[in-house]
Amino acid sequence: MHITLNLSSGAFAGEIKDISGANVFDCYQCGKCAAGCTVGGYIDDTPTKVIRFIQLNQRDKALDSRTPFLCAACNTCSERCPMEIDVAKIMESVRILALKEKRKPERDVAVFSELFLGSVKTTGRLFELGLTAGFNLMSGQPVKDAELGARLFRKGKIAIKPAMSGNKNVKQIFDKSEAVSGSSSKEEKAEH
Amino acid sequence: MARIGVFVCHCGENIGRTVDCSVVAKESAKLRDVVYSVDYKYMCSDPGQIMVKDAIKKHNLTGVVIASCSPLMHEKTFRRAVQETELSPFLCEMANIREQCSWVHEDKVLATKKAVDLVRLMVEKVKRNTPLEPIRIPVTKRALVIGGGIAGIQAALDIADGNQEVVMVEKSPSIGGHMAQLSETFPTLDCSQCILTPKMVSANSHKNIKLYTYTEVESVTGYIGNFDVTLRKKARYVDDSICSGCGICQEKCPQKKISSEFNTGLGKRPAIYIPFPQAVPNIPVIDKERCTYFKNGKCKACEKFCDRNAIKFDQTDEFINIKVGAIVVATGYEMYNIGKNNKNGIKGYGEYGCGEDPDIIDSLQFERLLSASGPTFGEVKRPSDGKVPETVVFLQCVGSRDKAKGMEYCSKICCMYTAKHTMLYKHKVHHGQAFVFYLDIRAGGKNYDEFVRRAIEEDGAIYLRGRVSKIYREGDKLIVKGADTLSGSQVEIAADLVVLATAITAQPDIVPLAQKLGVGYDKYHFLSEAHPKLKPVETNSAGIFLAGACQAPKDIPESVAQASAAAAKVLGLCSATELEREPYVAKVYESTCAGCGFCIEACPYKAIDNKAIVNRQGKLIKNVAYINQGLCQGCGTCLSVCRSKSIDLAGFTDEQIFSEINSLFV
Amino acid sequence: MNYGYFPGCSLHATAKEFNDSTKLVCDKLDLELKEIDKWICCGATPAHTTNQELGIALPFANLQLAADQGFDTVVAPCAACFNRLRSADFEVKHSGYTAERVGYITGSRTDINVRILHIIQLFRDEYGYSRLKEVFSKPLKGLKVANYYGCLLLRPSLVMKLDDPENPVIMDELTNLTGAESVPWAFKTECCGASLAIPETEIVLDLSKKIIDSAKNAGADVIAVACPLCHANLDMRQKQIGKKFGADYSTPVLYITQLLGLALGIDPSKLGLDSHLVDPYPVLRAKNIL
């Protein structure tokens, strides 16, 4: 691995700070987040390393890392960070940026989120069966968890029809969130 | 008629680069009452000082303004030079055109103008200066050393060897401090007790040292050279003038299962006990809270067996008044506890089990396990089941450098003693494996880094760079979940014993003592030195010095060095019969003072008292404020609260200050 | 006093027994839960990890609904919903900037004050342990319970403010009140992988296995949970775990409300004990609880 450092070294850290509020330069790379990470055994870069990439302005390396996508958002890292850095929020910010730029280092997780939110946007509530079936189709594993599904069905735990919230505001919340999120810029934030 | 001379210094390039010194000299010459002015490259040099002295004589000067650096730097130099002429040194003032002008400005024209202003201010002031007399105060040639650890012992011995009297006070039953608990010391691995106990014995037997153990400082009044101290000698319930230290009382005491403080809870002691076999003095103390007689009114086994009748159940605390000229504070430190009960917003480590697992111990406990005089006689056995641990995990920076827990500082000594621990462990358990989680290895010091390398290269300690997120028990083992940031991995170790290098913290009861002494402390309650670089041993209270870890985390060599430095300061103080100090103290105009007492309340140094004015018949006319010149630090707080303007500060009178300010508006 | 009830999506589907047992227990204790009309999904993890504004606006819209419908307190049994509601409320209260954006997105006011309680908090803080102790009629003597808190219920502790994030006790206290015995164990606050269950099933199988192993090693007969995601991963996946690791996995996983319901003498089938994939009846019968 090779890294070339240049003048604009704080730029990416600034982007992350705008979204998460966290200053990555507070991190002294102690590794406590890596040590306790729930998915530590499955990620390519430890959270510590992702933060290091941000400190060194390595935008691509951070945004293409699978780690922020595999993050279970369990907050163990943030809870125990000796420098009180919200590590989970930094992971979340990297993921948001990666999704915005259509990077999907961990496609399945991205697809799951998309389907989940799609379901909520349509009816206001999550339709679990639709989500699972949709995911299996999109991820090319149509019979995944089929046996489990059948058992749940027998237990009466699977709703066949989507639940309706009857709330007419949902679509607006999604659309406006999308719009606002796209428009967020540093200057706008600085004003507030 | 005033005749003032102005001397403008270039300070090489320091002032000359930004201030046109010749212009300053020329402009100064135009000021009223200035009869001579000159600029010169280095005014503080010998030729510069001669210029000043010659001019005083030649021009009959009544006052001198040196426009150069800060008075902190060279006021003494120039006043000494002035004193060599007939002029009073207090008629010499400094205009600071370096720190407050050339160093902070860039525009030469404006900076030059400001320099002229600064000179004008000082000319106005010096015209109103009066020759003052330095204050002389007597010195009591005796020192108090608070704390009987290695720092206190060293300071006491050095002062005593310098032929001055020392009173040494230790709050616990024996001197020796934490060093007495240690096994071997880095970086030479010499036995701690072997090098300490001879010093403990010397401290007790030295003709110039009076030792009070189990004694605390009750109150302190007075000032440098003249402190009045009251000590509280706590009841030991043993007459130390009779007891021979035979130890029969300890053997006969039916209470045997009290957790031993000296053995950090890993060993037991009776209710009447000598903390450890080498204790000084070798005299027991009764733990009143746990003594059967004190609890139930029955027992007195110790009394029955004592053939000298030294047990005194009716003993009470004794108060001892002493007078000393100087005080050395050497109260040491305490280890941070990972449990929940910490003060000052310091949090525990829930992720490490809050200290509830017996096999998660701190470094001081590990020292006791390594020590030949310890509860396991130097065999490394874990507390839960006495098994020899085959895998030991050491964690550095537990509490230290941890903002979330409330301590952001580095405890400084843990890197070294942890390396030592891995070595000593390996020397005792040859097939054992030590792992160390560290953040940075801080091994600055003579032979220190080589020592750490030896632990890694020769004694096989595996160093892992990272913190530990969680420790939990799984049957016989402690699972340590850590990280190794160098390989970028999570690391899991099944350990038999975990040793935490917990932070060095201030003594929990230091604040009341610091307040009694008038010594400052930082947010972690470490005592504050007067200047971090140039006055590392002094405090802001004159005559009170610091030694050892009460100031900041320190290892033994550093504590000893600072203790000797403090002793040198004390001996210097005691070398004179009288102290001379600057006469910048407040003075009261008794005729207008209404005796309202506001200044007494306001004075941060407790330097003001009431004084009764009586007529010839002895009848009280009124009360007025009285300023103790020995205590007054010249801060001026009293002036600002005085409603009748009856207090003034010598050398900085209202008249002088106002004339300075007025001169700005000409 | 009535409480605005926010069941969340899972409690109307895979976690319906959590819904049933919550309602039955509250009924018995005269705690009136009224479902918030037209509530919507909190967005869970997918929302806040995709679009921050959405992740706050969705849960906050529910608080606005509750306020509009006159509730001053919202009760959520799902740990994920509870977490999102609390987080949204925290973010809006602590940042004027966020509040303004959320106000724009939801088209409703943000200066609202609604308390957010998890269902177990309702029992601890509103009903009270001392009263609870008196109403339990059928002590669950002899049952050893490993209380599993997981992550979302407790963390971030600054926002959740429910219990100590490293050594929580609230579920253990409730368990002990029922006469059952809560066992100390190491994995009570570990994460099961939560919503990774669908896209990254293998990870969740590994994590859940470790949690179940730890509970078993601590001598637990059953695991108690307060989160439908935890339940889904621990209960529904045990057969898959057994297959993956070649061992028998059959530790029943109960909702804490089901335990409380049993102690209150409520009919076990009404509490939904039949709907778990790992059948809890054998263990409960062996302990003479049923």
Side-chain angles (χ1 to χ4, degrees), chain A residues 18-20 36 38-39 42 66 68-80 86 89 92-93 95-96 99 106 108-110 112-114 116-117 120 123-128 131-132 135-136 141 144-148 151-152 155-159 163-170 172-185 188-189 192, chain C residues 9-10 12-17 35-41 43-55 57-58 61-62 64-65 83-84 91 96-97 100-101 103-108 151-152 154-158 165-166 189-203 206-207 210 231 235-237 239-240 255 274-278:
Chain A
D18 279 345
I19 305 178
S20 66
T38 294
V39 293
Y42 311 93
R66 296 167 63 227
F69 283 82
L70 290 181
C71 168
C74 75
N75 274 307
T76 305
C77 47
S78 306
E79 192 69 48
R80 293 186 186 150
D86 195 340
K89 202 139 205 183
E92 180 182 298
S93 309
R95 176 169 153 154
I96 288 170
L99 284 173
E106 194 58 38
D108 285 356
V109 178
F112 173 76
S113 291
E114 230 169 87
F116 185 106
L117 296 176
V120 175
T123 62
R125 291 183 194 171
L126 176 67
F127 178 37
E128 288 175 343
L131 171 64
T132 322
F135 177 79
N136 289 354
Q141 35 190 351
K144 181 173 180 289
D145 287 336
E147 192 256 1
L148 175 61
R151 289 171 66 206
L152 288 174
K155 293 279 181 188
K157 291 185 116 177
I158 289 190
M164 304 301 240
S165 68
N167 190 316
K168 296 202 173 72
N169 203 15
V170 183
Q172 172 204 307
I173 290 177
F174 272 82
D175 292 343
K176 281 189 177 173
S177 292
E178 187 93 348
V180 165
S181 172
S183 77
S184 91
S185 70
E188 200 181 315
K189 257 199 176 165
H192 291 85
Chain C
C9 308
S10 295
H12 278 193
T14 40
K16 69 179 176 56
E17 68 271 34
E35 194 158 323
I36 298 165
D37 189 34
K38 292 192 171 58
W39 62 265
I40 56 173
C41 173
T45 310
H48 75 87
T49 54
T50 303
N51 178 322
Q52 271 195 320
E53 285 75 12
L54 186 65
L58 284 173
N62 287 299
Q64 290 168 327
L65 283 177
N83 187 295
R84 289 319 304 159
E91 301 265 359
Y97 174 71
E100 202 174 300
R101 291 191 145 203
Y104 165 74
I105 293 167
T106 56
S108 185
C151 46
L152 296 173
L154 303 167
R155 295 189 291 261
S157 58
L158 184 71
E166 299 293 349
T189 66
E190 295 297 307
C191 172
C192 64
S195 67
L196 290 176
I198 295 175
E200 301 287 346
T201 312
E202 292 305 311
I203 296 180
D206 293 354
L207 297 174
K210 284 188 193 162
H231 192 273
D235 173 60
M236 296 185 338
R237 304 250 170 217
K239 202 170 172 191
Q240 292 175 336
Y255 286 106
D274 301 322
S275 57
H276 300 317
L277 295 196
V278 178

Side-chain angles (χ1 to χ4, degrees), chain A residues 28-30 32 37 80 82, chain B residues 351 401 404 465 467 469 490:
Chain A
Y28 56 20
Q29 293 283 308
C30 75
K32 200 169 183 181
C37 182
R80 293 186 186 150
Chain B
E351 61 270 46
R401 304 177 70 191
R465 197 207 165 276
R467 276 195 188 268
S469 178
Q490 259 182 352

Side-chain angles (χ1 to χ4, degrees), chain B residues 8 138 281 349 458-459 509 659:
Chain B
V8 186
Y349 271 82
E458 290 171 28
D459 288 321
D509 49 1
S659 62

